[in-house]
Amino acid sequence: MKPRSVPSGTTLAERARRVIPGGVNSGQRSIPGLTELVIARAAGARFWDTDGREYTDYHAAFGPPLLGHNDPDVNAAVTEAGRRLDLCGVAVTDGEVQLAETLAELVPSIEQVLLTSTGSEATFHALRVARAATGRRLVVKFQGCYHGWHDAVSLNVISAPDRVGVQDPISTGILPEVLDATLVLRFNDAPAVRAAFAEHGEQIAAVIVEPVPHNVGCLLPDPEFLQALRDECTRAGSVLVFDEVITGFRHDLGGWQRISGVTPDLTTLGKALGNGYPIGALGGRADLMDLFSTRPGAPAFFAGTYNGHPAVVAAALATLGKLRTEPVHEHVYRLGARIRAGLTEVFADLGVSAVVTGHGSVFVSYFMDGPVPRTYDDLLRNDAGMFIGYRRRMPEHGVFELPLNLKRNHVSYAHTDADVDHLLEATRSAVRDTLAAGGVTELAGTATMGGAVGNG
């Protein structure tokens, strides 16, 4: 049935729900308790809603605007590109060549690269070409890692305790035989990786991993774990894929692979690459990339109408240029360290058991006793009610952190020390108010380990 005419006095959020399923265009944007939030504008470290309320933004759209919202230099580059060129859909542009050369220069694993519009597309094509190269069926992923919406990896992200260790798809409508071709292992468990390769090595086409599983906040990898992935893939002839859609450029211009010294065969990129413009990339060894049908006669089909769109290419070139010439990482690393230390002090003052962790510009507070979590199993100790409950109260203090379980926070180049001071005081007040309310029973049904999944 078509929606009837909109009654007078209907809010924008209500109008959205009439014509958009759930009122939002991605599954993680509909927030219980914040269903009337409609964004009007964004700039720097802030956004404003249609009621004029201002929020200092630490959610940051799951991480893309490393430079801050609406960065003027990035926007200027996009505007200039639009004066000269739009989508022609044939051959290649000078910007695409420049961006590919830049990515190959910066990221250790990249010899050749193809552009996509999203990170999910990049991971999809990574697994497709790995199967094309090896002729094998199985893919290995890890509990708590999110690699996009496509079927082969749509399982075991934020799982309820009784779903850890068994298949836990994030959606219905997936063929069981597709899920059966994916092995799910425990992150940071090198012996489990060796055992899986001992049993299935000749059938494993690829191992895909977030080198830092930021979709569950922040699990820092043990160096020997990433090296074990490299060693086992090399030994078995499997393809090692680093999903650096989040870690790439946010933590280092060379991605986590440069930090760790472990080089994968393929790398997927996105998010901070374009500072919020819709771009992804897949790059890696030339012999693998040459299997894509962008080279005539190659067997792995690759296409996308908007791949390499001049506007997003210009955004990426401007973003990378700024990351290379200005102290962006120095600034966000300093503020991130200050936030983590400050939050640790706030929780200690309030007598709240919490572990504050993260890396560089990413921070997250788990409400549990130490030590710092290493695996998803460790995160089952997190008090999801407290995690969500205090974040529900942060907008009252003009601060936005996504109130979904295990979701990380981000610092941008536009954040200041004054913003950090505000964040710490807002957190103190929000946590104190949550404790004073006698718990978070009003969150029953939403404060679970199986709630939010990936990015959106």
Side-chain angles (χ1 to χ4, degrees), residues 211-237:
V212 181
H214 277 316
N215 280 288
V216 290
C218 183
L219 295 176
L220 291 173
D222 297 335
E224 58 268 24
F225 171 71
L226 294 181
Q227 188 59 53
L229 299 184
R230 178 66 280 169
D231 293 344
E232 292 300 318
C233 284
T234 300
R235 187 176 297 113

Side-chain angles (χ1 to χ4, degrees), residues 101-114:
E101 290 174 339
T102 301
L103 294 174
E105 177 185 352
L106 291 174
V107 182
S109 66
I110 293 182
E111 296 175 350
Q112 293 184 345
V113 64
L114 287 167

Side-chain angles (χ1 to χ4, degrees), residues 70-94:
N70 263 319
D71 180 82
D73 298 316
V74 175
N75 286 351
V78 172
T79 300
E80 179 58 32
R83 292 194 183 100
R84 182 173 66 92
L85 190 64
D86 69 353
L87 183 65
C88 295
V90 65
V92 71
T93 64
D94 56 346

Side-chain angles (χ1 to χ4, degrees), residues 3-183:
R4 289 172 284 182
S5 60
V6 179
S8 62
T10 304
T11 67
L12 276 170
E14 290 169 335
R15 287 165 54 190
R17 288 190 288 271
R18 291 171 67 89
V19 290
I20 303 171
V24 293
N25 278 297
S26 186
Q28 304 303 302
R29 297 181 191 175
S30 182
I31 310 300
L34 295 173
T35 56
E36 296 305 301
L37 182 64
V38 178
I39 309 301
R41 65 186 180 97
R46 289 166 174 74
F47 66 79
W48 290 259
D49 66 20
T50 49
D51 293 320
R53 288 185 291 257
E54 177 183 314
Y55 306 86
T56 304
D57 183 19
Y58 291 95
H59 166 48
F62 292 98
L66 176 57
L67 300 177
H69 292 294
N70 263 319
D71 180 82
D73 298 316
V74 175
N75 286 351
V78 172
T79 300
E80 179 58 32
R83 292 194 183 100
R84 182 173 66 92
L85 190 64
D86 69 353
L87 183 65
C88 295
V90 65
V92 71
T93 64
D94 56 346
E96 290 171 84
V97 177
Q98 293 170 33
L99 181 55
E101 290 174 339
T102 301
L103 294 174
E105 177 185 352
L106 291 174
V107 182
S109 66
I110 293 182
E111 296 175 350
Q112 293 184 345
V113 64
L114 287 167
L115 300 179
T116 64
S117 295
T118 67
S120 290
E121 293 168 70
T123 58
F124 172 89
H125 285 296
L127 299 185
R128 170 179 280 181
V129 79
R131 284 178 164 136
T134 63
R136 300 174 182 177
R137 173 172 174 266
L138 298 181
V139 167
V140 173
K141 78 172 291 287
F142 296 90
Q143 176 69 54
C145 290
Y146 175 76
H147 304 292
W149 41 252
H150 51 97
D151 290 357
V153 290
S154 289
L155 71 167
N156 295 80
V157 184
I158 298 183
S159 299
D162 63 344
R163 302 303 299 168
V164 176
V166 297
Q167 273 189 7
D168 184 29
I170 66 175
S171 177
T172 58
I174 301 174
L175 295 173
E177 53 266 39
V178 175
L179 296 175
D180 290 343
T182 301
L183 306 178

